[in-house]
Amino acid sequence: MNYQELIDLANEAKKHSYCPYSKFSVGVALLTKSGKVYLGANIENSSYGATICAERVACVKAIYDGEKELSAIALACNEDVVCYPCGICRQFLSEFGNIDVVLSKNGILVDVVKLFDLLPHPFELN
Ligand code: THU
């Protein structure tokens, strides 16, 4: 699975977005070290704070499945926008290591950054 293929899957996942309020669709494809891919899309709620981002949808699916060794996450969103993970999602993903974050625009890879470069000092217990 190369990163352009992961972006293609993120764009498929984006079609599952439920975003009647923001009209901003986000799709992700999360690659595990074992080679599995988990898809996620943002799911909004009329109580806006209850909205769940695409990244956390995919991450909880992977963890529930016992796949805690993560490798990369590709993001896709509305046209002409490069979507970075929000702060909550950076923290949430940081629990599972310094994964590659694959950024795209209009279906094309634009950059690959390390999660800990986006979130240099994640919160940790201890
Ligand atoms: N959103 C995500 O799915 N991931 C992010 O990292 C940032 C924001 C969603 C949440 C909401 O449904 C919409 O984008 C607008 O904020």
PDB file of all heavy atoms in Angstrom, residues 34-55:
ATOM      1  N   SER A  34       0.577  -3.843  10.517  1.00  0.00           N
ATOM      2  CA  SER A  34       0.302  -5.178   9.968  1.00  0.00           C
ATOM      3  C   SER A  34      -0.259  -5.117   8.551  1.00  0.00           C
ATOM      4  O   SER A  34      -0.512  -6.154   7.937  1.00  0.00           O
ATOM      5  CB  SER A  34      -0.680  -5.921  10.884  1.00  0.00           C
ATOM      6  OG  SER A  34      -1.937  -5.269  10.861  1.00  0.00           O
ATOM      7  N   GLY A  35      -0.487  -3.884   8.046  1.00  0.00           N
ATOM      8  CA  GLY A  35      -0.939  -3.732   6.661  1.00  0.00           C
ATOM      9  C   GLY A  35      -2.443  -3.593   6.494  1.00  0.00           C
ATOM     10  O   GLY A  35      -2.931  -3.499   5.369  1.00  0.00           O
ATOM     11  N   LYS A  36      -3.179  -3.556   7.616  1.00  0.00           N
ATOM     12  CA  LYS A  36      -4.628  -3.351   7.497  1.00  0.00           C
ATOM     13  C   LYS A  36      -4.928  -1.861   7.338  1.00  0.00           C
ATOM     14  O   LYS A  36      -4.164  -1.007   7.802  1.00  0.00           O
ATOM     15  CB  LYS A  36      -5.338  -3.875   8.741  1.00  0.00           C
ATOM     16  CG  LYS A  36      -5.324  -5.392   8.838  1.00  0.00           C
ATOM     17  CD  LYS A  36      -6.231  -5.859   9.952  1.00  0.00           C
ATOM     18  CE  LYS A  36      -6.179  -7.371  10.063  1.00  0.00           C
ATOM     19  NZ  LYS A  36      -6.594  -7.848  11.372  1.00  0.00           N
ATOM     20  N   VAL A  37      -6.065  -1.558   6.737  1.00  0.00           N
ATOM     21  CA  VAL A  37      -6.473  -0.165   6.562  1.00  0.00           C
ATOM     22  C   VAL A  37      -7.853   0.022   7.189  1.00  0.00           C
ATOM     23  O   VAL A  37      -8.778  -0.771   6.934  1.00  0.00           O
ATOM     24  CB  VAL A  37      -6.527   0.224   5.073  1.00  0.00           C
ATOM     25  CG1 VAL A  37      -7.046   1.655   4.918  1.00  0.00           C
ATOM     26  CG2 VAL A  37      -5.144   0.105   4.437  1.00  0.00           C
ATOM     27  N   TYR A  38      -7.975   1.055   8.011  1.00  0.00           N
ATOM     28  CA  TYR A  38      -9.257   1.414   8.627  1.00  0.00           C
ATOM     29  C   TYR A  38      -9.676   2.773   8.103  1.00  0.00           C
ATOM     30  O   TYR A  38      -8.887   3.720   8.111  1.00  0.00           O
ATOM     31  CB  TYR A  38      -9.126   1.444  10.163  1.00  0.00           C
ATOM     32  CG  TYR A  38      -8.924   0.056  10.715  1.00  0.00           C
ATOM     33  CD1 TYR A  38      -7.642  -0.474  10.834  1.00  0.00           C
ATOM     34  CD2 TYR A  38     -10.012  -0.730  11.066  1.00  0.00           C
ATOM     35  CE1 TYR A  38      -7.447  -1.767  11.304  1.00  0.00           C
ATOM     36  CE2 TYR A  38      -9.840  -2.023  11.536  1.00  0.00           C
ATOM     37  CZ  TYR A  38      -8.550  -2.535  11.651  1.00  0.00           C
ATOM     38  OH  TYR A  38      -8.367  -3.813  12.108  1.00  0.00           O
ATOM     39  N   LEU A  39     -10.921   2.855   7.647  1.00  0.00           N
ATOM     40  CA  LEU A  39     -11.434   4.101   7.083  1.00  0.00           C
ATOM     41  C   LEU A  39     -12.282   4.837   8.101  1.00  0.00           C
ATOM     42  O   LEU A  39     -12.915   4.219   8.973  1.00  0.00           O
ATOM     43  CB  LEU A  39     -12.269   3.798   5.834  1.00  0.00           C
ATOM     44  CG  LEU A  39     -11.562   2.998   4.736  1.00  0.00           C
ATOM     45  CD1 LEU A  39     -12.503   2.819   3.545  1.00  0.00           C
ATOM     46  CD2 LEU A  39     -10.265   3.663   4.315  1.00  0.00           C
ATOM     47  N   GLY A  40     -12.300   6.153   7.976  1.00  0.00           N
ATOM     48  CA  GLY A  40     -13.143   6.963   8.857  1.00  0.00           C
ATOM     49  C   GLY A  40     -13.608   8.208   8.135  1.00  0.00           C
ATOM     50  O   GLY A  40     -12.993   8.649   7.156  1.00  0.00           O
ATOM     51  N   ALA A  41     -14.728   8.755   8.607  1.00  0.00           N
ATOM     52  CA  ALA A  41     -15.241  10.025   8.087  1.00  0.00           C
ATOM     53  C   ALA A  41     -15.831  10.786   9.258  1.00  0.00           C
ATOM     54  O   ALA A  41     -16.206  10.193  10.278  1.00  0.00           O
ATOM     55  CB  ALA A  41     -16.293   9.773   7.014  1.00  0.00           C
ATOM     56  N   ASN A  42     -15.907  12.102   9.117  1.00  0.00           N
ATOM     57  CA  ASN A  42     -16.470  12.892  10.222  1.00  0.00           C
ATOM     58  C   ASN A  42     -17.980  12.687  10.327  1.00  0.00           C
ATOM     59  O   ASN A  42     -18.696  12.613   9.328  1.00  0.00           O
ATOM     60  CB  ASN A  42     -16.127  14.382  10.074  1.00  0.00           C
ATOM     61  CG  ASN A  42     -16.521  14.988   8.737  1.00  0.00           C
ATOM     62  OD1 ASN A  42     -16.519  14.306   7.711  1.00  0.00           O
ATOM     63  ND2 ASN A  42     -16.844  16.256   8.745  1.00  0.00           N
ATOM     64  N   ILE A  43     -18.419  12.569  11.565  1.00  0.00           N
ATOM     65  CA  ILE A  43     -19.838  12.347  11.862  1.00  0.00           C
ATOM     66  C   ILE A  43     -20.288  13.475  12.782  1.00  0.00           C
ATOM     67  O   ILE A  43     -19.885  13.522  13.958  1.00  0.00           O
ATOM     68  CB  ILE A  43     -20.065  10.991  12.583  1.00  0.00           C
ATOM     69  CG1 ILE A  43     -19.323   9.834  11.890  1.00  0.00           C
ATOM     70  CG2 ILE A  43     -21.567  10.703  12.720  1.00  0.00           C
ATOM     71  CD1 ILE A  43     -19.861   9.394  10.566  1.00  0.00           C
ATOM     72  N   GLU A  44     -21.090  14.377  12.224  1.00  0.00           N
ATOM     73  CA  GLU A  44     -21.498  15.557  12.998  1.00  0.00           C
ATOM     74  C   GLU A  44     -22.784  15.289  13.779  1.00  0.00           C
ATOM     75  O   GLU A  44     -23.455  14.272  13.580  1.00  0.00           O
ATOM     76  CB  GLU A  44     -21.678  16.754  12.049  1.00  0.00           C
ATOM     77  CG  GLU A  44     -20.350  17.123  11.389  1.00  0.00           C
ATOM     78  CD  GLU A  44     -20.408  18.387  10.559  1.00  0.00           C
ATOM     79  OE1 GLU A  44     -21.516  18.854  10.221  1.00  0.00           O
ATOM     80  OE2 GLU A  44     -19.303  18.894  10.247  1.00  0.00           O
ATOM     81  N   ASN A  45     -23.076  16.234  14.676  1.00  0.00           N
ATOM     82  CA  ASN A  45     -24.266  16.122  15.514  1.00  0.00           C
ATOM     83  C   ASN A  45     -24.847  17.515  15.723  1.00  0.00           C
ATOM     84  O   ASN A  45     -24.092  18.492  15.757  1.00  0.00           O
ATOM     85  CB  ASN A  45     -23.884  15.486  16.861  1.00  0.00           C
ATOM     86  CG  ASN A  45     -25.097  15.067  17.654  1.00  0.00           C
ATOM     87  OD1 ASN A  45     -25.649  15.849  18.414  1.00  0.00           O
ATOM     88  ND2 ASN A  45     -25.539  13.845  17.451  1.00  0.00           N
ATOM     89  N   SER A  46     -26.159  17.575  15.897  1.00  0.00           N
ATOM     90  CA  SER A  46     -26.800  18.881  16.113  1.00  0.00           C
ATOM     91  C   SER A  46     -26.301  19.519  17.406  1.00  0.00           C
ATOM     92  O   SER A  46     -26.326  20.738  17.543  1.00  0.00           O
ATOM     93  CB  SER A  46     -28.321  18.739  16.127  1.00  0.00           C
ATOM     94  OG  SER A  46     -28.690  17.859  17.162  1.00  0.00           O
ATOM     95  N   SER A  47     -25.849  18.716  18.347  1.00  0.00           N
ATOM     96  CA  SER A  47     -25.109  19.240  19.502  1.00  0.00           C
ATOM     97  C   SER A  47     -23.646  19.260  19.062  1.00  0.00           C
ATOM     98  O   SER A  47     -22.944  18.240  19.141  1.00  0.00           O
ATOM     99  CB  SER A  47     -25.317  18.326  20.709  1.00  0.00           C
ATOM    100  OG  SER A  47     -24.532  18.777  21.789  1.00  0.00           O
ATOM    101  N   TYR A  48     -23.198  20.388  18.505  1.00  0.00           N
ATOM    102  CA  TYR A  48     -21.969  20.428  17.712  1.00  0.00           C
ATOM    103  C   TYR A  48     -20.766  19.781  18.395  1.00  0.00           C
ATOM    104  O   TYR A  48     -19.940  19.138  17.753  1.00  0.00           O
ATOM    105  CB  TYR A  48     -21.597  21.868  17.352  1.00  0.00           C
ATOM    106  CG  TYR A  48     -22.585  22.581  16.456  1.00  0.00           C
ATOM    107  CD1 TYR A  48     -22.500  23.958  16.278  1.00  0.00           C
ATOM    108  CD2 TYR A  48     -23.619  21.899  15.800  1.00  0.00           C
ATOM    109  CE1 TYR A  48     -23.397  24.634  15.464  1.00  0.00           C
ATOM    110  CE2 TYR A  48     -24.525  22.565  14.992  1.00  0.00           C
ATOM    111  CZ  TYR A  48     -24.412  23.941  14.825  1.00  0.00           C
ATOM    112  OH  TYR A  48     -25.303  24.612  14.024  1.00  0.00           O
ATOM    113  N   GLY A  49     -20.672  19.953  19.703  1.00  0.00           N
ATOM    114  CA  GLY A  49     -19.516  19.413  20.429  1.00  0.00           C
ATOM    115  C   GLY A  49     -19.477  17.895  20.436  1.00  0.00           C
ATOM    116  O   GLY A  49     -18.444  17.310  20.761  1.00  0.00           O
ATOM    117  N   ALA A  50     -20.578  17.272  20.075  1.00  0.00           N
ATOM    118  CA  ALA A  50     -20.624  15.807  20.036  1.00  0.00           C
ATOM    119  C   ALA A  50     -20.079  15.256  18.723  1.00  0.00           C
ATOM    120  O   ALA A  50     -19.957  14.035  18.556  1.00  0.00           O
ATOM    121  CB  ALA A  50     -22.057  15.324  20.256  1.00  0.00           C
ATOM    122  N   THR A  51     -19.762  16.146  17.797  1.00  0.00           N
ATOM    123  CA  THR A  51     -19.200  15.726  16.502  1.00  0.00           C
ATOM    124  C   THR A  51     -17.925  14.917  16.695  1.00  0.00           C
ATOM    125  O   THR A  51     -17.112  15.223  17.582  1.00  0.00           O
ATOM    126  CB  THR A  51     -18.902  16.986  15.655  1.00  0.00           C
ATOM    127  OG1 THR A  51     -20.153  17.563  15.280  1.00  0.00           O
ATOM    128  CG2 THR A  51     -18.085  16.669  14.422  1.00  0.00           C
ATOM    129  N   ILE A  52     -17.751  13.915  15.863  1.00  0.00           N
ATOM    130  CA  ILE A  52     -16.525  13.093  15.917  1.00  0.00           C
ATOM    131  C   ILE A  52     -15.776  13.257  14.600  1.00  0.00           C
ATOM    132  O   ILE A  52     -16.362  13.106  13.519  1.00  0.00           O
ATOM    133  CB  ILE A  52     -16.837  11.603  16.143  1.00  0.00           C
ATOM    134  CG1 ILE A  52     -17.728  11.422  17.375  1.00  0.00           C
ATOM    135  CG2 ILE A  52     -15.546  10.818  16.327  1.00  0.00           C
ATOM    136  CD1 ILE A  52     -18.191   9.985  17.574  1.00  0.00           C
ATOM    137  N   CYS A  53     -14.493  13.566  14.715  1.00  0.00           N
ATOM    138  CA  CYS A  53     -13.656  13.738  13.520  1.00  0.00           C
ATOM    139  C   CYS A  53     -13.365  12.391  12.868  1.00  0.00           C
ATOM    140  O   CYS A  53     -13.366  11.333  13.516  1.00  0.00           O
ATOM    141  CB  CYS A  53     -12.325  14.377  13.888  1.00  0.00           C
ATOM    142  SG  CYS A  53     -12.429  16.079  14.426  1.00  0.00           S
ATOM    143  N   ALA A  54     -13.046  12.480  11.576  1.00  0.00           N
ATOM    144  CA  ALA A  54     -12.736  11.294  10.781  1.00  0.00           C
ATOM    145  C   ALA A  54     -11.581  10.483  11.380  1.00  0.00           C
ATOM    146  O   ALA A  54     -11.623   9.240  11.402  1.00  0.00           O
ATOM    147  CB  ALA A  54     -12.380  11.731   9.362  1.00  0.00           C
ATOM    148  N   GLU A  55     -10.558  11.173  11.859  1.00  0.00           N
ATOM    149  CA  GLU A  55      -9.371  10.483  12.380  1.00  0.00           C
ATOM    150  C   GLU A  55      -9.723   9.600  13.566  1.00  0.00           C
ATOM    151  O   GLU A  55      -9.227   8.478  13.700  1.00  0.00           O
ATOM    152  CB  GLU A  55      -8.310  11.494  12.831  1.00  0.00           C
ATOM    153  CG  GLU A  55      -7.745  12.354  11.729  1.00  0.00           C
ATOM    154  CD  GLU A  55      -8.507  13.659  11.529  1.00  0.00           C
ATOM    155  OE1 GLU A  55      -9.754  13.656  11.656  1.00  0.00           O
ATOM    156  OE2 GLU A  55      -7.865  14.665  11.222  1.00  0.00           O
TER     157      GLU A  55
END
